[in-house]
Amino acid sequence: MSESGEKKYELGIALGGGGARGFAHLGILKALYEKDIKPDIISGVSAGAIAGAFIASGHSPEEAFDIIKQYKFTGISEFNIPKTGLLSSAKMKSGLLKKIPVEKIEDLDIPLIICVSNMLDGKPEYMSEGPIADIVQASASIPVLFSPVKLNGKLYSDGGIFDNVPIKVLKKKCKKVIGVSISPIQEIEELTSLIQVSSRMFQLAVNRSREELQSQCDVFIEPLDLCNYDIMDTKHAKEIFDIGYEYVKDLEIEL
């Protein structure tokens, strides 16, 4: 907030975590843009941090989708000898995140705040400065599934542990806030691998009630049809994108 107590930004959009369901963020943003609703600042966590970074760097939602959809789950991860995580997300930094045309968050076209979890201090941190690829990689590193990312001598993991839709960090800065959740819980019949167990455990742990999130923002968006898609499923990117787009296209939004 400024010294006068006035909020600096008209509109902030908080993009939540949800793995491969993050493609819905780009469909949602496309529909919002068509309604002439564009953020002055973005906050993001995990999948929302990835989508937010591409949008904040000047890519349109469609351009961001075309870039990100090329990277399947196997294209941004590789198996570790288990120590701090089953998988390494280093390929995310060396591949996908190289497509972001700036190196530091503070150099983005749109201000961006990324939520990460400090695993040593046991608290969330909201980063708006620093190396964007490292910070986005950390924010998207689901504990147990992915190894933490080391930054400034600390270990960081998925910010969703503490704040899976980072709305509150925008409330102090923005006159209006849109919160976007992509994590409705789906019912499943079985779990067939340790990776599925880890991702399911994390999804259940970070999920907060729709009512609680809705009360924190001016407009709350959560396409419930996303519950039909596993958070590790990158094979249905276009379907997930379209669910987000169609949901918001038909939504009446007053700000």
Side-chain angles (χ1 to χ4, degrees):
M1 210 179 291
S2 67
E3 291 182 7
S4 65
E6 294 181 358
K7 295 183 177 182
K8 183 177 180 180
Y9 302 103
E10 288 291 328
L11 176 64
I13 296 182
L15 303 176
R21 295 176 182 178
F23 290 112
H25 282 315
L26 301 172
I28 287 165
L29 288 165
K30 178 186 177 185
L32 288 174
Y33 280 23
E34 289 177 359
K35 296 176 185 289
D36 200 27
I37 299 173
K38 297 182 179 181
D40 301 301
I41 184 172
I42 299 168
S43 67
V45 63
S46 198
I50 296 173
F54 277 92
I55 296 301
S57 69
H59 290 289
S60 71
E62 298 95 325
E63 289 169 345
F65 174 75
D66 287 339
I67 293 169
I68 299 171
K69 75 176 181 181
Q70 299 175 43
Y71 291 84
K72 306 303 182 186
F73 179 68
T74 53
I76 59 171
S77 63
E78 56 191 348
F79 279 98
N80 269 338
I81 298 173
K83 184 178 179 182
T84 56
L86 295 171
L87 303 168
S88 167
S89 59
K91 288 170 72 174
M92 181 190 299
K93 178 183 172 183
S94 63
L96 172 61
L97 298 178
K98 274 196 170 181
K99 304 294 185 181
I100 297 170
V102 301
E103 294 185 1
K104 294 185 177 181
I105 297 177
E106 57 266 37
D107 294 331
L108 291 164
D109 293 347
I110 300 171
L112 175 66
I113 303 171
I114 296 174
C115 180
V116 294
S117 294
N118 186 321
M119 299 297 282
L120 300 183
D121 294 348
K123 62 182 182 181
E125 294 185 19
Y126 298 87
M127 297 186 172
S128 57
E129 296 180 346
I132 189 166
D134 294 288
I135 294 170
V136 171
Q137 180 192 359
S139 185
S141 293
I142 297 173
V144 181
L145 189 57
F146 290 105
S147 297
V149 174
K150 193 169 187 177
L151 286 169
N152 303 318
K154 301 284 188 179
L155 292 176
Y156 292 93
S157 287
D158 197 308
I161 296 172
F162 293 101
D163 192 354
N164 202 41
V165 186
I167 296 167
K168 288 183 180 179
V169 71
L170 296 180
K171 293 281 285 182
K172 300 175 183 177
K173 301 174 180 291
C174 304
K175 294 177 183 177
K176 300 285 185 179
V177 175
I178 296 174
V180 184
S181 169
I182 54 170
S183 292
I185 296 294
Q186 81 272 41
E187 294 183 8
I188 58 177
E189 295 183 357
E190 60 180 351
L191 293 166
T192 59
S193 71
L194 187 56
I195 288 175
Q196 284 187 333
V197 171
S198 298
S199 63
R200 178 69 172 179
M201 178 178 65
F202 183 75
Q203 184 188 13
L204 294 174
V206 304
N207 195 56
R208 293 160 67 187
S209 75
R210 183 184 181 93
E211 293 75 19
E212 181 184 356
L213 290 170
Q214 199 163 9
S215 69
Q216 294 177 4
C217 52
D218 299 282
V219 175
F220 179 67
I221 296 170
E222 185 183 52
L224 295 180
D225 285 349
L226 292 175
C227 73
N228 297 316
Y229 297 86
D230 188 88
I231 65 170
M232 307 306 291
D233 180 7
T234 56
K235 298 189 298 293
H236 298 95
K238 185 62 166 62
E239 294 172 35
I240 294 169
F241 177 96
D242 288 343
I243 286 171
Y245 175 76
E246 293 296 334
Y247 182 86
V248 174
K249 186 185 76 169
D250 296 332
L251 206 61
E252 289 191 16
I253 298 177
E254 293 186 10
L255 289 168

